[in-house]
Amino acid sequence: DTEVTQTPKHLVMGMTNKKSLKCEQHMGHRAMYWYKQKAKKPPELMFVYSYEKLSINESVPSRFSPECPNSSLLNLHLHALQPEDSALYLCASSYRDNTEAFFGQGTRLTVV
Amino acid sequence: GQSLEQPSEVTAVEGAIVQINCTYQTSGFYGLSWYQQHDGGAPTFLSYNALDGLEETGRFSSFLSRSDSYGYLLLQELQMKDSASYFCAVRGLSGGSYIPTFGRGTSLIVHP
């Protein structure tokens, strides 16, 4: 299995909703990442987990809450989002935090 | 911090060769990667250079010169399907963690 799987592929949520994005990999990678990407822009790093511990939080607002239940799973909990949070949310994983990363297909999030 | 520079757009014709340059500034450099992203898709890993020199993978090659803080992606025998955005990404060491940062991306347009 050489894939990073993200669910759902599309999500529309209201500003008062709570939802979660899920990411799964079974490649034995010990680093996992959340990125946010707006149209025509590069991916922006949000969080890095290394060996299931949060190692980097790029000053992301608290309405985004990451969780790493185990070495294969990464969640991103969403609460009270704003319309400007609408974007493609990408999960990635790498063998270690200093090796190349492989991306999932992303969740396209629309906040209404 | 880290910063990368790459051209915003490159155009070429089918069958041609194109080179996309990337210059970077980072502390604790730990490798330069290249990713391809088609519209609506996720970034796909293409290549990774940690040491100086040329890495070849089929029609794609990537080069790194650490002394010049410079790298490039070379695409040969261009095909229409190569039209996409290409991102260089660098890993730098900060606070004991490896921070992956993407350049702003180069839009490659391949004409018949």
Side-chain angles (χ1 to χ4, degrees), chain A residues 64-101:
Chain A
F64 296 92
S65 175
E67 178 197 18
C68 189
N70 60 55
S71 60
S72 299
L73 294 173
L74 186 66
N75 298 323
L76 186 63
H77 303 298
L78 315 172
H79 173 54
L81 294 193
Q82 304 296 311
E84 58 264 30
D85 295 322
S86 299
L88 180 67
Y89 287 84
L90 293 159
C91 173
S93 72
S94 61
Y95 184 62
R96 297 286 186 266
D97 66 357
N98 61 350
T99 58
E100 61 272 26

PDB file of all heavy atoms in Angstrom, chain A residues 64-101:
ATOM      1  N   PHE A  64      -8.760  25.086  14.213  1.00  0.00           N
ATOM      2  CA  PHE A  64      -8.218  23.870  13.606  1.00  0.00           C
ATOM      3  C   PHE A  64      -7.484  23.101  14.700  1.00  0.00           C
ATOM      4  O   PHE A  64      -6.546  23.626  15.312  1.00  0.00           O
ATOM      5  CB  PHE A  64      -7.224  24.205  12.487  1.00  0.00           C
ATOM      6  CG  PHE A  64      -7.832  24.915  11.322  1.00  0.00           C
ATOM      7  CD1 PHE A  64      -7.856  26.302  11.277  1.00  0.00           C
ATOM      8  CD2 PHE A  64      -8.376  24.205  10.263  1.00  0.00           C
ATOM      9  CE1 PHE A  64      -8.409  26.976  10.201  1.00  0.00           C
ATOM     10  CE2 PHE A  64      -8.924  24.861   9.176  1.00  0.00           C
ATOM     11  CZ  PHE A  64      -8.939  26.250   9.141  1.00  0.00           C
ATOM     12  N   SER A  65      -7.879  21.853  14.915  1.00  0.00           N
ATOM     13  CA  SER A  65      -7.289  21.072  15.994  1.00  0.00           C
ATOM     14  C   SER A  65      -6.837  19.724  15.452  1.00  0.00           C
ATOM     15  O   SER A  65      -7.667  18.903  15.075  1.00  0.00           O
ATOM     16  CB  SER A  65      -8.320  20.874  17.108  1.00  0.00           C
ATOM     17  OG  SER A  65      -7.808  20.023  18.097  1.00  0.00           O
ATOM     18  N   PRO A  66      -5.519  19.475  15.393  1.00  0.00           N
ATOM     19  CA  PRO A  66      -5.050  18.196  14.869  1.00  0.00           C
ATOM     20  C   PRO A  66      -5.042  17.124  15.951  1.00  0.00           C
ATOM     21  O   PRO A  66      -4.995  17.406  17.150  1.00  0.00           O
ATOM     22  CB  PRO A  66      -3.630  18.526  14.418  1.00  0.00           C
ATOM     23  CG  PRO A  66      -3.170  19.557  15.405  1.00  0.00           C
ATOM     24  CD  PRO A  66      -4.390  20.368  15.762  1.00  0.00           C
ATOM     25  N   GLU A  67      -5.072  15.882  15.465  1.00  0.00           N
ATOM     26  CA  GLU A  67      -5.007  14.745  16.384  1.00  0.00           C
ATOM     27  C   GLU A  67      -4.335  13.589  15.660  1.00  0.00           C
ATOM     28  O   GLU A  67      -4.624  13.340  14.490  1.00  0.00           O
ATOM     29  CB  GLU A  67      -6.425  14.330  16.811  1.00  0.00           C
ATOM     30  CG  GLU A  67      -6.457  13.124  17.735  1.00  0.00           C
ATOM     31  CD  GLU A  67      -7.837  12.488  17.817  1.00  0.00           C
ATOM     32  OE1 GLU A  67      -8.675  12.757  16.925  1.00  0.00           O
ATOM     33  OE2 GLU A  67      -8.062  11.721  18.759  1.00  0.00           O
ATOM     34  N   CYS A  68      -3.444  12.886  16.337  1.00  0.00           N
ATOM     35  CA  CYS A  68      -2.777  11.725  15.745  1.00  0.00           C
ATOM     36  C   CYS A  68      -3.015  10.531  16.651  1.00  0.00           C
ATOM     37  O   CYS A  68      -2.218  10.287  17.572  1.00  0.00           O
ATOM     38  CB  CYS A  68      -1.286  12.013  15.572  1.00  0.00           C
ATOM     39  SG  CYS A  68      -0.397  10.770  14.636  1.00  0.00           S
ATOM     40  N   PRO A  69      -4.099   9.782  16.436  1.00  0.00           N
ATOM     41  CA  PRO A  69      -4.448   8.674  17.335  1.00  0.00           C
ATOM     42  C   PRO A  69      -3.413   7.547  17.342  1.00  0.00           C
ATOM     43  O   PRO A  69      -3.219   6.901  18.367  1.00  0.00           O
ATOM     44  CB  PRO A  69      -5.785   8.161  16.790  1.00  0.00           C
ATOM     45  CG  PRO A  69      -6.290   9.229  15.890  1.00  0.00           C
ATOM     46  CD  PRO A  69      -5.103   9.962  15.372  1.00  0.00           C
ATOM     47  N   ASN A  70      -2.800   7.305  16.172  1.00  0.00           N
ATOM     48  CA  ASN A  70      -1.740   6.297  16.085  1.00  0.00           C
ATOM     49  C   ASN A  70      -0.864   6.619  14.883  1.00  0.00           C
ATOM     50  O   ASN A  70      -1.101   7.594  14.169  1.00  0.00           O
ATOM     51  CB  ASN A  70      -2.316   4.881  16.030  1.00  0.00           C
ATOM     52  CG  ASN A  70      -3.234   4.661  14.836  1.00  0.00           C
ATOM     53  OD1 ASN A  70      -2.837   4.880  13.699  1.00  0.00           O
ATOM     54  ND2 ASN A  70      -4.461   4.235  15.105  1.00  0.00           N
ATOM     55  N   SER A  71       0.115   5.772  14.637  1.00  0.00           N
ATOM     56  CA  SER A  71       1.110   6.108  13.608  1.00  0.00           C
ATOM     57  C   SER A  71       0.547   6.090  12.196  1.00  0.00           C
ATOM     58  O   SER A  71       1.203   6.560  11.271  1.00  0.00           O
ATOM     59  CB  SER A  71       2.284   5.129  13.697  1.00  0.00           C
ATOM     60  OG  SER A  71       1.832   3.800  13.493  1.00  0.00           O
ATOM     61  N   SER A  72      -0.655   5.543  12.003  1.00  0.00           N
ATOM     62  CA  SER A  72      -1.234   5.453  10.658  1.00  0.00           C
ATOM     63  C   SER A  72      -2.314   6.494  10.402  1.00  0.00           C
ATOM     64  O   SER A  72      -2.730   6.665   9.262  1.00  0.00           O
ATOM     65  CB  SER A  72      -1.850   4.067  10.430  1.00  0.00           C
ATOM     66  OG  SER A  72      -0.891   3.058  10.541  1.00  0.00           O
ATOM     67  N   LEU A  73      -2.794   7.138  11.441  1.00  0.00           N
ATOM     68  CA  LEU A  73      -3.959   8.009  11.312  1.00  0.00           C
ATOM     69  C   LEU A  73      -3.648   9.436  11.730  1.00  0.00           C
ATOM     70  O   LEU A  73      -2.906   9.667  12.688  1.00  0.00           O
ATOM     71  CB  LEU A  73      -5.107   7.492  12.175  1.00  0.00           C
ATOM     72  CG  LEU A  73      -5.716   6.151  11.798  1.00  0.00           C
ATOM     73  CD1 LEU A  73      -6.725   5.720  12.847  1.00  0.00           C
ATOM     74  CD2 LEU A  73      -6.369   6.235  10.432  1.00  0.00           C
ATOM     75  N   LEU A  74      -4.251  10.370  11.005  1.00  0.00           N
ATOM     76  CA  LEU A  74      -4.128  11.781  11.346  1.00  0.00           C
ATOM     77  C   LEU A  74      -5.479  12.424  11.093  1.00  0.00           C
ATOM     78  O   LEU A  74      -6.080  12.211  10.041  1.00  0.00           O
ATOM     79  CB  LEU A  74      -3.058  12.452  10.483  1.00  0.00           C
ATOM     80  CG  LEU A  74      -2.702  13.899  10.793  1.00  0.00           C
ATOM     81  CD1 LEU A  74      -2.037  14.005  12.155  1.00  0.00           C
ATOM     82  CD2 LEU A  74      -1.788  14.478   9.712  1.00  0.00           C
ATOM     83  N   ASN A  75      -5.970  13.141  12.074  1.00  0.00           N
ATOM     84  CA  ASN A  75      -7.253  13.830  11.946  1.00  0.00           C
ATOM     85  C   ASN A  75      -7.046  15.339  12.036  1.00  0.00           C
ATOM     86  O   ASN A  75      -6.079  15.810  12.642  1.00  0.00           O
ATOM     87  CB  ASN A  75      -8.218  13.394  13.060  1.00  0.00           C
ATOM     88  CG  ASN A  75      -8.534  11.920  13.014  1.00  0.00           C
ATOM     89  OD1 ASN A  75      -8.667  11.340  11.952  1.00  0.00           O
ATOM     90  ND2 ASN A  75      -8.635  11.300  14.188  1.00  0.00           N
ATOM     91  N   LEU A  76      -7.981  16.068  11.461  1.00  0.00           N
ATOM     92  CA  LEU A  76      -8.006  17.518  11.630  1.00  0.00           C
ATOM     93  C   LEU A  76      -9.434  17.895  11.997  1.00  0.00           C
ATOM     94  O   LEU A  76     -10.350  17.740  11.178  1.00  0.00           O
ATOM     95  CB  LEU A  76      -7.565  18.243  10.361  1.00  0.00           C
ATOM     96  CG  LEU A  76      -7.424  19.761  10.465  1.00  0.00           C
ATOM     97  CD1 LEU A  76      -6.339  20.142  11.467  1.00  0.00           C
ATOM     98  CD2 LEU A  76      -7.112  20.376   9.098  1.00  0.00           C
ATOM     99  N   HIS A  77      -9.631  18.323  13.225  1.00  0.00           N
ATOM    100  CA  HIS A  77     -10.952  18.692  13.718  1.00  0.00           C
ATOM    101  C   HIS A  77     -11.193  20.172  13.446  1.00  0.00           C
ATOM    102  O   HIS A  77     -10.338  21.010  13.721  1.00  0.00           O
ATOM    103  CB  HIS A  77     -11.058  18.386  15.218  1.00  0.00           C
ATOM    104  CG  HIS A  77     -10.779  16.949  15.553  1.00  0.00           C
ATOM    105  ND1 HIS A  77     -11.549  15.909  15.067  1.00  0.00           N
ATOM    106  CD2 HIS A  77      -9.794  16.385  16.300  1.00  0.00           C
ATOM    107  CE1 HIS A  77     -11.072  14.764  15.513  1.00  0.00           C
ATOM    108  NE2 HIS A  77     -10.009  15.020  16.258  1.00  0.00           N
ATOM    109  N   LEU A  78     -12.390  20.442  12.916  1.00  0.00           N
ATOM    110  CA  LEU A  78     -12.741  21.785  12.476  1.00  0.00           C
ATOM    111  C   LEU A  78     -13.931  22.292  13.277  1.00  0.00           C
ATOM    112  O   LEU A  78     -14.924  21.569  13.448  1.00  0.00           O
ATOM    113  CB  LEU A  78     -13.101  21.772  10.980  1.00  0.00           C
ATOM    114  CG  LEU A  78     -12.174  20.990  10.055  1.00  0.00           C
ATOM    115  CD1 LEU A  78     -12.774  20.907   8.654  1.00  0.00           C
ATOM    116  CD2 LEU A  78     -10.804  21.635  10.035  1.00  0.00           C
ATOM    117  N   HIS A  79     -13.837  23.529  13.747  1.00  0.00           N
ATOM    118  CA  HIS A  79     -14.935  24.089  14.542  1.00  0.00           C
ATOM    119  C   HIS A  79     -14.984  25.601  14.361  1.00  0.00           C
ATOM    120  O   HIS A  79     -13.962  26.263  14.469  1.00  0.00           O
ATOM    121  CB  HIS A  79     -14.726  23.738  16.016  1.00  0.00           C
ATOM    122  CG  HIS A  79     -15.706  24.409  16.925  1.00  0.00           C
ATOM    123  ND1 HIS A  79     -17.073  24.312  16.756  1.00  0.00           N
ATOM    124  CD2 HIS A  79     -15.526  25.222  17.987  1.00  0.00           C
ATOM    125  CE1 HIS A  79     -17.678  25.013  17.697  1.00  0.00           C
ATOM    126  NE2 HIS A  79     -16.773  25.584  18.456  1.00  0.00           N
ATOM    127  N   ALA A  80     -16.171  26.097  14.100  1.00  0.00           N
ATOM    128  CA  ALA A  80     -16.374  27.543  13.976  1.00  0.00           C
ATOM    129  C   ALA A  80     -15.480  28.147  12.910  1.00  0.00           C
ATOM    130  O   ALA A  80     -14.820  29.181  13.133  1.00  0.00           O
ATOM    131  CB  ALA A  80     -16.162  28.240  15.332  1.00  0.00           C
ATOM    132  N   LEU A  81     -15.447  27.520  11.741  1.00  0.00           N
ATOM    133  CA  LEU A  81     -14.608  28.028  10.657  1.00  0.00           C
ATOM    134  C   LEU A  81     -15.232  29.257  10.004  1.00  0.00           C
ATOM    135  O   LEU A  81     -16.425  29.526  10.151  1.00  0.00           O
ATOM    136  CB  LEU A  81     -14.387  26.938   9.613  1.00  0.00           C
ATOM    137  CG  LEU A  81     -13.583  25.717  10.049  1.00  0.00           C
ATOM    138  CD1 LEU A  81     -13.172  24.896   8.835  1.00  0.00           C
ATOM    139  CD2 LEU A  81     -12.357  26.101  10.860  1.00  0.00           C
ATOM    140  N   GLN A  82     -14.404  29.967   9.282  1.00  0.00           N
ATOM    141  CA  GLN A  82     -14.807  31.155   8.548  1.00  0.00           C
ATOM    142  C   GLN A  82     -14.797  30.866   7.053  1.00  0.00           C
ATOM    143  O   GLN A  82     -14.081  29.964   6.598  1.00  0.00           O
ATOM    144  CB  GLN A  82     -13.830  32.295   8.849  1.00  0.00           C
ATOM    145  CG  GLN A  82     -13.680  32.608  10.328  1.00  0.00           C
ATOM    146  CD  GLN A  82     -14.996  33.109  10.910  1.00  0.00           C
ATOM    147  OE1 GLN A  82     -15.632  33.998  10.346  1.00  0.00           O
ATOM    148  NE2 GLN A  82     -15.408  32.527  12.038  1.00  0.00           N
ATOM    149  N   PRO A  83     -15.551  31.617   6.275  1.00  0.00           N
ATOM    150  CA  PRO A  83     -15.543  31.384   4.809  1.00  0.00           C
ATOM    151  C   PRO A  83     -14.138  31.420   4.208  1.00  0.00           C
ATOM    152  O   PRO A  83     -13.856  30.676   3.264  1.00  0.00           O
ATOM    153  CB  PRO A  83     -16.424  32.514   4.276  1.00  0.00           C
ATOM    154  CG  PRO A  83     -17.379  32.796   5.395  1.00  0.00           C
ATOM    155  CD  PRO A  83     -16.570  32.620   6.657  1.00  0.00           C
ATOM    156  N   GLU A  84     -13.248  32.245   4.775  1.00  0.00           N
ATOM    157  CA  GLU A  84     -11.887  32.321   4.209  1.00  0.00           C
ATOM    158  C   GLU A  84     -11.062  31.065   4.493  1.00  0.00           C
ATOM    159  O   GLU A  84      -9.949  30.911   3.953  1.00  0.00           O
ATOM    160  CB  GLU A  84     -11.138  33.545   4.753  1.00  0.00           C
ATOM    161  CG  GLU A  84     -11.015  33.601   6.261  1.00  0.00           C
ATOM    162  CD  GLU A  84     -12.109  34.457   6.890  1.00  0.00           C
ATOM    163  OE1 GLU A  84     -13.230  34.524   6.320  1.00  0.00           O
ATOM    164  OE2 GLU A  84     -11.843  35.052   7.961  1.00  0.00           O
ATOM    165  N   ASP A  85     -11.595  30.155   5.301  1.00  0.00           N
ATOM    166  CA  ASP A  85     -10.927  28.877   5.533  1.00  0.00           C
ATOM    167  C   ASP A  85     -11.209  27.880   4.414  1.00  0.00           C
ATOM    168  O   ASP A  85     -10.642  26.776   4.406  1.00  0.00           O
ATOM    169  CB  ASP A  85     -11.365  28.267   6.868  1.00  0.00           C
ATOM    170  CG  ASP A  85     -10.935  29.112   8.057  1.00  0.00           C
ATOM    171  OD1 ASP A  85      -9.812  29.664   8.023  1.00  0.00           O
ATOM    172  OD2 ASP A  85     -11.741  29.236   9.011  1.00  0.00           O
ATOM    173  N   SER A  86     -12.077  28.240   3.504  1.00  0.00           N
ATOM    174  CA  SER A  86     -12.354  27.374   2.348  1.00  0.00           C
ATOM    175  C   SER A  86     -11.075  27.193   1.552  1.00  0.00           C
ATOM    176  O   SER A  86     -10.409  28.169   1.180  1.00  0.00           O
ATOM    177  CB  SER A  86     -13.435  27.992   1.458  1.00  0.00           C
ATOM    178  OG  SER A  86     -14.643  28.144   2.162  1.00  0.00           O
ATOM    179  N   ALA A  87     -10.715  25.927   1.302  1.00  0.00           N
ATOM    180  CA  ALA A  87      -9.445  25.626   0.633  1.00  0.00           C
ATOM    181  C   ALA A  87      -9.366  24.126   0.407  1.00  0.00           C
ATOM    182  O   ALA A  87     -10.251  23.367   0.807  1.00  0.00           O
ATOM    183  CB  ALA A  87      -8.256  26.084   1.491  1.00  0.00           C
ATOM    184  N   LEU A  88      -8.282  23.699  -0.209  1.00  0.00           N
ATOM    185  CA  LEU A  88      -7.947  22.283  -0.330  1.00  0.00           C
ATOM    186  C   LEU A  88      -7.039  21.934   0.855  1.00  0.00           C
ATOM    187  O   LEU A  88      -6.003  22.576   1.049  1.00  0.00           O
ATOM    188  CB  LEU A  88      -7.222  22.014  -1.653  1.00  0.00           C
ATOM    189  CG  LEU A  88      -6.799  20.568  -1.938  1.00  0.00           C
ATOM    190  CD1 LEU A  88      -8.027  19.672  -2.138  1.00  0.00           C
ATOM    191  CD2 LEU A  88      -5.893  20.508  -3.171  1.00  0.00           C
ATOM    192  N   TYR A  89      -7.455  20.953   1.645  1.00  0.00           N
ATOM    193  CA  TYR A  89      -6.652  20.536   2.785  1.00  0.00           C
ATOM    194  C   TYR A  89      -5.965  19.223   2.438  1.00  0.00           C
ATOM    195  O   TYR A  89      -6.615  18.220   2.129  1.00  0.00           O
ATOM    196  CB  TYR A  89      -7.517  20.419   4.047  1.00  0.00           C
ATOM    197  CG  TYR A  89      -7.892  21.786   4.549  1.00  0.00           C
ATOM    198  CD1 TYR A  89      -8.988  22.463   4.012  1.00  0.00           C
ATOM    199  CD2 TYR A  89      -7.113  22.436   5.505  1.00  0.00           C
ATOM    200  CE1 TYR A  89      -9.303  23.751   4.428  1.00  0.00           C
ATOM    201  CE2 TYR A  89      -7.418  23.725   5.933  1.00  0.00           C
ATOM    202  CZ  TYR A  89      -8.510  24.369   5.380  1.00  0.00           C
ATOM    203  OH  TYR A  89      -8.812  25.650   5.783  1.00  0.00           O
ATOM    204  N   LEU A  90      -4.659  19.267   2.490  1.00  0.00           N
ATOM    205  CA  LEU A  90      -3.838  18.150   2.049  1.00  0.00           C
ATOM    206  C   LEU A  90      -3.148  17.493   3.240  1.00  0.00           C
ATOM    207  O   LEU A  90      -2.596  18.173   4.103  1.00  0.00           O
ATOM    208  CB  LEU A  90      -2.760  18.636   1.075  1.00  0.00           C
ATOM    209  CG  LEU A  90      -3.246  19.155  -0.261  1.00  0.00           C
ATOM    210  CD1 LEU A  90      -2.200  20.046  -0.910  1.00  0.00           C
ATOM    211  CD2 LEU A  90      -3.610  18.006  -1.191  1.00  0.00           C
ATOM    212  N   CYS A  91      -3.195  16.187   3.260  1.00  0.00           N
ATOM    213  CA  CYS A  91      -2.433  15.405   4.226  1.00  0.00           C
ATOM    214  C   CYS A  91      -1.237  14.812   3.482  1.00  0.00           C
ATOM    215  O   CYS A  91      -1.338  14.468   2.305  1.00  0.00           O
ATOM    216  CB  CYS A  91      -3.314  14.310   4.798  1.00  0.00           C
ATOM    217  SG  CYS A  91      -2.455  13.130   5.864  1.00  0.00           S
ATOM    218  N   ALA A  92      -0.122  14.710   4.167  1.00  0.00           N
ATOM    219  CA  ALA A  92       1.061  14.093   3.575  1.00  0.00           C
ATOM    220  C   ALA A  92       1.757  13.258   4.643  1.00  0.00           C
ATOM    221  O   ALA A  92       1.551  13.466   5.846  1.00  0.00           O
ATOM    222  CB  ALA A  92       2.015  15.141   3.016  1.00  0.00           C
ATOM    223  N   SER A  93       2.575  12.323   4.184  1.00  0.00           N
ATOM    224  CA  SER A  93       3.362  11.538   5.129  1.00  0.00           C
ATOM    225  C   SER A  93       4.748  11.318   4.554  1.00  0.00           C
ATOM    226  O   SER A  93       4.951  11.387   3.341  1.00  0.00           O
ATOM    227  CB  SER A  93       2.689  10.203   5.443  1.00  0.00           C
ATOM    228  OG  SER A  93       2.763   9.315   4.334  1.00  0.00           O
ATOM    229  N   SER A  94       5.701  11.070   5.435  1.00  0.00           N
ATOM    230  CA  SER A  94       7.057  10.747   5.007  1.00  0.00           C
ATOM    231  C   SER A  94       7.657   9.768   6.002  1.00  0.00           C
ATOM    232  O   SER A  94       7.217   9.675   7.152  1.00  0.00           O
ATOM    233  CB  SER A  94       7.923  12.006   4.880  1.00  0.00           C
ATOM    234  OG  SER A  94       8.048  12.678   6.122  1.00  0.00           O
ATOM    235  N   TYR A  95       8.679   9.046   5.530  1.00  0.00           N
ATOM    236  CA  TYR A  95       9.283   8.005   6.353  1.00  0.00           C
ATOM    237  C   TYR A  95       9.797   8.580   7.683  1.00  0.00           C
ATOM    238  O   TYR A  95       9.554   8.044   8.751  1.00  0.00           O
ATOM    239  CB  TYR A  95      10.399   7.338   5.561  1.00  0.00           C
ATOM    240  CG  TYR A  95      11.050   6.172   6.259  1.00  0.00           C
ATOM    241  CD1 TYR A  95      10.312   5.040   6.580  1.00  0.00           C
ATOM    242  CD2 TYR A  95      12.390   6.216   6.600  1.00  0.00           C
ATOM    243  CE1 TYR A  95      10.905   3.973   7.234  1.00  0.00           C
ATOM    244  CE2 TYR A  95      12.990   5.155   7.254  1.00  0.00           C
ATOM    245  CZ  TYR A  95      12.250   4.040   7.572  1.00  0.00           C
ATOM    246  OH  TYR A  95      12.831   3.001   8.230  1.00  0.00           O
ATOM    247  N   ARG A  96      10.509   9.668   7.556  1.00  0.00           N
ATOM    248  CA  ARG A  96      10.929  10.437   8.721  1.00  0.00           C
ATOM    249  C   ARG A  96      10.631  11.897   8.405  1.00  0.00           C
ATOM    250  O   ARG A  96      10.266  12.237   7.288  1.00  0.00           O
ATOM    251  CB  ARG A  96      12.438  10.274   8.993  1.00  0.00           C
ATOM    252  CG  ARG A  96      12.857   8.864   9.330  1.00  0.00           C
ATOM    253  CD  ARG A  96      12.452   8.456  10.724  1.00  0.00           C
ATOM    254  NE  ARG A  96      12.988   7.129  11.069  1.00  0.00           N
ATOM    255  CZ  ARG A  96      12.307   6.002  10.917  1.00  0.00           C
ATOM    256  NH1 ARG A  96      11.082   6.031  10.441  1.00  0.00           N
ATOM    257  NH2 ARG A  96      12.850   4.856  11.252  1.00  0.00           N
ATOM    258  N   ASP A  97      10.872  12.781   9.367  1.00  0.00           N
ATOM    259  CA  ASP A  97      10.521  14.182   9.093  1.00  0.00           C
ATOM    260  C   ASP A  97      11.561  14.890   8.246  1.00  0.00           C
ATOM    261  O   ASP A  97      11.440  16.080   7.997  1.00  0.00           O
ATOM    262  CB  ASP A  97      10.249  14.951  10.391  1.00  0.00           C
ATOM    263  CG  ASP A  97      11.491  15.089  11.269  1.00  0.00           C
ATOM    264  OD1 ASP A  97      12.550  14.543  10.906  1.00  0.00           O
ATOM    265  OD2 ASP A  97      11.386  15.745  12.315  1.00  0.00           O
ATOM    266  N   ASN A  98      12.573  14.182   7.793  1.00  0.00           N
ATOM    267  CA  ASN A  98      13.574  14.807   6.932  1.00  0.00           C
ATOM    268  C   ASN A  98      13.663  14.115   5.570  1.00  0.00           C
ATOM    269  O   ASN A  98      14.652  14.237   4.875  1.00  0.00           O
ATOM    270  CB  ASN A  98      14.938  14.814   7.608  1.00  0.00           C
ATOM    271  CG  ASN A  98      15.446  13.410   7.916  1.00  0.00           C
ATOM    272  OD1 ASN A  98      14.691  12.452   7.793  1.00  0.00           O
ATOM    273  ND2 ASN A  98      16.685  13.300   8.307  1.00  0.00           N
ATOM    274  N   THR A  99      12.627  13.381   5.201  1.00  0.00           N
ATOM    275  CA  THR A  99      12.607  12.707   3.901  1.00  0.00           C
ATOM    276  C   THR A  99      11.408  13.179   3.089  1.00  0.00           C
ATOM    277  O   THR A  99      10.522  13.852   3.611  1.00  0.00           O
ATOM    278  CB  THR A  99      12.566  11.183   4.066  1.00  0.00           C
ATOM    279  OG1 THR A  99      11.403  10.842   4.826  1.00  0.00           O
ATOM    280  CG2 THR A  99      13.801  10.678   4.788  1.00  0.00           C
ATOM    281  N   GLU A 100      11.400  12.789   1.808  1.00  0.00           N
ATOM    282  CA  GLU A 100      10.372  13.303   0.908  1.00  0.00           C
ATOM    283  C   GLU A 100       8.975  12.886   1.355  1.00  0.00           C
ATOM    284  O   GLU A 100       8.770  11.810   1.906  1.00  0.00           O
ATOM    285  CB  GLU A 100      10.631  12.837  -0.532  1.00  0.00           C
ATOM    286  CG  GLU A 100      10.619  11.343  -0.754  1.00  0.00           C
ATOM    287  CD  GLU A 100      11.975  10.693  -0.543  1.00  0.00           C
ATOM    288  OE1 GLU A 100      12.804  11.250   0.217  1.00  0.00           O
ATOM    289  OE2 GLU A 100      12.212   9.633  -1.133  1.00  0.00           O
ATOM    290  N   ALA A 101       8.033  13.779   1.092  1.00  0.00           N
ATOM    291  CA  ALA A 101       6.654  13.582   1.531  1.00  0.00           C
ATOM    292  C   ALA A 101       5.764  13.154   0.372  1.00  0.00           C
ATOM    293  O   ALA A 101       5.978  13.541  -0.774  1.00  0.00           O
ATOM    294  CB  ALA A 101       6.109  14.870   2.147  1.00  0.00           C
TER     295      ALA A 101
END
